[in-house]
Amino acid sequence: MPQPDTGVRDRVADESGSVEAGLDALDTPVNAPEAGFGRRFLSKALPPVVALVLLVAIWQALWAAAFWPEFKLPAPVDVWAQIWQLVTTGKIIELFWTSVHRAVIGFAISLLIAVPLGLAIAHITVVRRGIGPLVSGLQSLPSVAWVPAAILWFGLNDRAIYWVVLLGAVPSIANGLVSGLDQVPPILPRVGKALGAGRIGGIRYILLPAALPGFLGGLKQGWAFSWRSLMAAELIATSPDLGEGLGQYLHNGMSLSDISMVFAGVLLIFVVGVGIELLVFRPLENTVLRARGLTRAT
């Protein structure tokens, strides 16, 4: 039989190698060249600063135009005076500590409850059919509706506040985990089982890492619900024994009919929410995205 020409074989091999290299290049993330520190800092810091300055300018213009009486819309300088007084007296530390440590503890407890619940809903059909709709219903129910019942059950103490926080955060975290697990390709658990991974090992080393991007979305939403639930509980369940958090401070401003105090409380609550997002969840999300070669992480 005639032997294939050596040159033809070499050309076929070269073409096959080129195709494989091209496919590998498609899978390799393309990283943009690193910009300088100053440029990166400006690109991240300048837009929110400009937006904040524009918002304060509009606020000042509305106040100067006197569309509303001053007891309804305070001047920005009056709100800043309230915040500065909290800073100089050191009271702002007490407000932040009381609220933030409650939110962190409540979120941690919610995580311990929501992860097993989410795993059960995702992998046990009976549980999904029986409890899944209830969890989704609890997520859509405003957690502030639980405050009166929590006060009647536990009294004006931290247990009532934590109960409201749990009912706000657990459904969001559990549903986020279920959503992430539902998006895991079915072949991954099969490969893990073929390689000898047991049920616990498969969950720990295969399912949870594969579902992590979707689970992070659930964690962010769970924190948001946790923080909102805590503010609602502190705003309604007020007592000297509970200490003064940001919700209590906001309630005091309402009781004193001090609109500048109310605005200062709202701004401080907003600062904590944005700070947790930028300092905790944004870096964590970017780390996960970069580890998976997703170049949109910034």
Side-chain angles (χ1 to χ4, degrees), residues 42-284:
L42 288 177
S43 66
K44 293 180 180 180
L46 192 58
V49 169
V50 172
L52 181 61
V53 171
L54 182 61
L55 180 62
V56 173
I58 295 174
W59 179 5
Q60 177 67 30
L62 290 175
W63 174 82
F67 288 116
W68 299 278
E70 196 161 351
F71 71 87
K72 290 185 177 180
L73 181 67
V77 66
D78 293 336
V79 177
W80 173 252
Q82 289 282 352
I83 296 176
W84 184 247
Q85 182 182 9
L86 294 175
V87 173
T88 54
T89 59
K91 188 176 180 180
I92 194 170
I93 298 177
E94 175 190 352
L95 296 177
F96 279 156
W97 168 253
T98 302
S99 294
V100 173
H101 97 273
R102 279 176 178 163
V104 171
I105 293 175
F107 181 75
I109 298 174
S110 300
L111 194 60
L112 293 177
I113 298 173
V115 170
L117 178 61
L119 290 172
I121 294 174
H123 293 289
I124 303 177
T125 304
V126 175
V127 176
R128 180 186 283 262
R129 292 175 179 174
I131 300 180
L134 299 179
V135 174
S136 298
L138 285 175
Q139 183 177 357
S140 63
L141 180 67
S143 55
V144 67
W146 290 105
V147 177
I151 294 175
L152 292 176
W153 289 339
F154 304 106
L156 283 172
N157 52 48
D158 284 337
R159 287 182 297 172
I161 292 178
Y162 285 129
W163 178 256
V164 176
V165 172
L166 291 179
L167 289 175
V170 168
S172 297
I173 299 174
N175 280 335
L177 179 56
V178 172
S179 177
L181 291 172
D182 286 344
Q183 298 175 28
V184 175
I187 193 173
L188 293 182
R190 296 173 189 167
V191 171
K193 187 175 182 180
L195 293 176
R199 180 176 295 272
I200 302 299
I203 292 174
R204 179 180 177 185
Y205 296 108
I206 298 174
L207 289 179
L208 289 181
L212 189 55
F215 185 36
L216 276 178
L219 289 179
K220 290 173 62 176
Q221 189 176 37
W223 167 259
F225 273 78
S226 174
W227 185 241
R228 290 165 52 185
S229 302
L230 175 64
M231 291 301 102
E234 287 187 351
L235 188 61
I236 298 175
T238 58
S239 171
D241 297 334
L242 291 173
E244 187 174 0
L246 292 172
Q248 173 78 56
Y249 179 80
L250 191 61
H251 181 273
N252 292 341
M254 179 190 65
S255 300
L256 297 172
S257 298
D258 189 341
I259 189 63
S260 60
M261 189 174 176
V262 171
F263 268 61
V266 171
L267 287 177
L268 292 177
I269 293 171
F270 176 77
V271 165
V272 172
V274 173
I276 295 297
E277 163 67 20
L278 295 179
L279 297 177
V280 178
F281 289 107
R282 183 70 61 82
L284 184 60

